[in-house]
Amino acid sequence: MLWVMRFSGFFFAAMVWIVISPSLQSSQPAEAIRSSHHRLPTQIRFSFRKAPQFRNAGVCNVNADSTLGEIGVCDPSLVHVAITLDVEYLRGSIAAVHSILKHSMCPETIFFHFLVSETGLETLVRSTFPELKFKVYYFDPERVRSLISTSVRQALEQPLNYARNYLADLLEPCVRRVIYLDSDLVVVDDVSKLWYTSLGTKTIGAPEYCHANFTKYFTAAFWSDRRFSGTFSRRKPCYFNTGVMVMDLAKWRRFGYSKQIERWMEIQKMNRIYELGSLPPFLLVFAGHVAAIEHRWNQHGLGGDNVKGSCRDLHPGPVSLLHWSGSGKPWLRLDSKRPCPLDYLWAPFDLYGDSS
């Protein structure tokens, strides 16, 4: 498969770098470079090169609106992808979109739903991807600000991290399914394969990691109080990363999951039952009720842990998506001249900078 060949090439380049620069194997990738310390004011203008147009298949099944002559968001042939656009992570979001278009067999069928809390980003997206099918949705930070608790990392406290909780409200009712993706990842396979994953009777699907120590995601106070820990008593909960999810929005709306997540956030404000940001409420509502997706769709943790952001290796097995979850981000480490080897797999999708 072509994407395997492409990935192998990228991986080979990364391994060559290790051989050439053995000092990278033992050094830390600039621990001080943490995203929360590099937040840029909105008035700073970003410059991105225009992405190439991708026509990866001869014929794609796209239905044009007979009246408007364009693709409408309710078109049943579309693959829906939701990503946040945030000044701090904008470079990552643009690279993620670029990677999806490059590896999709029919990029014409992908509709992007961009969640923002700042204005002025739509023009930038349009200039970078002139033919992109997308819509921008404003998420009001005040909707969750009073519910957010302090976390182990300041970046996890940003209100836009919680926008995924409200996709069922923000997106049009005709959008019944969506792929949610974080901004610090690249896709190296056809995203439509993820789109068509069966969820069965479940509301969300994600790669699960049942070998992980699930107890560490909650405090001792949580586990010692049956009012809280009892929520898992009839489940077999496993850790999953909320940065890659397939979501059945029709079911989400029907069962009111946004309110359920909010309720746990309210409990957290009073009882301190977890230390991480937006992940634990998702675990409380969904862990044990998740449609398992192949691990290839979230090779996560490449950003290192939430404090030092040390270099990580790939998990064993095939790769369809590379995810720099954790405190270290590839664009910051590359710019600092202290990258991790796998950061070079992200670099080919980076469009940041003037084209001149």
Side-chain angles (χ1 to χ4, degrees):
M1 295 187 294
L2 288 177
W3 71 267
V4 175
M5 296 171 64
R6 293 188 187 117
F7 178 77
S8 298
F10 293 153
F11 188 75
F12 175 76
M15 294 304 100
V16 168
W17 181 262
I18 296 176
V19 173
I20 295 174
S21 304
S23 61
L24 282 178
Q25 300 178 62
S26 57
S27 64
Q28 294 296 330
E31 293 177 5
I33 301 173
R34 297 176 58 188
S35 298
S36 61
H37 295 167
H38 285 258
R39 190 157 189 87
L40 298 173
T42 57
Q43 62 266 29
I44 291 181
R45 296 184 62 83
F46 286 84
S47 177
F48 290 94
R49 300 183 299 278
K50 183 186 294 186
Q53 296 180 14
F54 295 104
R55 295 288 185 270
N56 302 330
V59 178
C60 290
N61 181 29
V62 181
N63 300 318
D65 187 291
S66 58
T67 303
L68 300 177
E70 60 184 24
I71 303 300
V73 68
C74 295
D75 191 307
S77 67
L78 294 175
V79 172
H80 296 275
V81 177
I83 300 178
T84 59
L85 290 182
D86 170 75
V87 171
E88 182 181 2
Y89 288 88
L90 188 58
R91 191 168 166 185
S93 298
I94 295 295
V97 173
H98 185 199
S99 72
I100 292 168
L101 297 175
K102 182 171 184 176
H103 293 98
S104 174
M105 187 64 70
C106 289
E108 304 92 327
T109 65
I110 302 174
F111 195 102
F112 288 90
H113 303 263
F114 293 121
L115 312 175
V116 305
S117 292
E118 305 167 81
T119 60
L121 297 177
E122 182 173 351
T123 301
L124 186 148
V125 172
R126 180 65 68 195
S127 64
T128 307
F129 303 103
E131 295 192 0
L132 194 70
K133 300 173 181 65
F134 74 93
K135 184 174 179 179
V136 173
Y137 303 78
Y138 178 74
F139 177 73
D140 186 355
E142 297 307 315
R143 185 165 186 174
V144 293
R145 200 180 300 279
S146 65
L147 294 171
I148 297 174
S149 301
T150 55
S151 181
V152 295
R153 184 158 59 94
Q154 185 181 346
L156 301 177
E157 301 169 22
Q158 298 301 323
L160 198 58
N161 287 340
Y162 295 83
R164 74 193 85 184
N165 303 1
Y166 301 96
L167 283 168
D169 299 333
L170 294 168
L171 273 54
E172 289 77 0
C174 65
V175 180
R176 299 174 59 85
R177 171 183 281 223
V178 70
I179 298 171
Y180 175 81
L181 298 176
D182 271 353
S183 300
D184 53 357
L185 55 77
V186 293
V187 177
V188 292
D189 201 349
D190 189 343
V191 76
S192 68
K193 297 176 184 177
L194 182 59
W195 172 256
Y196 288 111
T197 299
S198 173
L199 300 184
T201 61
K202 305 296 194 299
T203 301
I204 67 170
E208 290 186 295
Y209 303 90
C210 296
H211 63 279
N213 179 9
F214 190 79
T215 60
K216 72 178 183 180
Y217 295 101
F218 301 95
T219 63
F222 172 87
W223 292 112
S224 64
D225 193 327
R226 288 292 298 170
R227 293 177 301 162
F228 307 141
S229 60
T231 191
F232 294 124
S233 61
R234 297 184 180 180
R235 297 194 244 167
K236 294 182 178 179
C238 294
Y239 163 74
F240 65 95
N241 181 282
T242 54
V244 179
M245 296 185 290
V246 181
M247 307 170 70
D248 185 328
L249 298 184
K251 283 194 178 75
W252 187 291
R253 295 174 181 121
R254 189 182 316 145
F255 294 105
Y257 286 120
S258 296
K259 291 295 183 184
Q260 294 186 38
I261 290 174
E262 285 182 343
R263 178 55 184 154
W264 280 113
M265 293 175 70
E266 291 168 352
I267 291 172
Q268 159 73 355
K269 295 288 284 189
M270 296 182 290
N271 296 275
R272 196 66 183 178
I273 58 175
Y274 54 80
E275 300 295 341
L276 290 171
S278 59
L279 169 65
F282 257 88
L283 296 178
L284 286 160
V285 173
F286 292 110
H289 300 306
V290 175
I293 291 175
E294 289 183 273
H295 288 177
R296 68 193 305 154
W297 285 105
N298 197 351
Q299 281 270 351
H300 69 290
L302 303 185
D305 62 33
N306 277 313
V307 179
K308 294 184 177 181
S310 54
C311 295
R312 296 278 180 87
D313 293 327
L314 289 174
H315 305 291
V319 177
S320 292
L321 185 150
L322 296 155
H323 187 187
W324 279 261
S325 56
S327 66
K329 302 307 172 190
W331 56 92
L332 295 177
R333 297 196 295 214
L334 287 163
D335 287 353
S336 74
K337 310 300 182 184
R338 298 179 66 184
C340 291
L342 291 179
D343 294 344
Y344 287 94
L345 304 185
W346 178 89
F349 307 104
D350 184 19
L351 293 172
Y352 182 69
D354 198 330
S355 59
S356 59

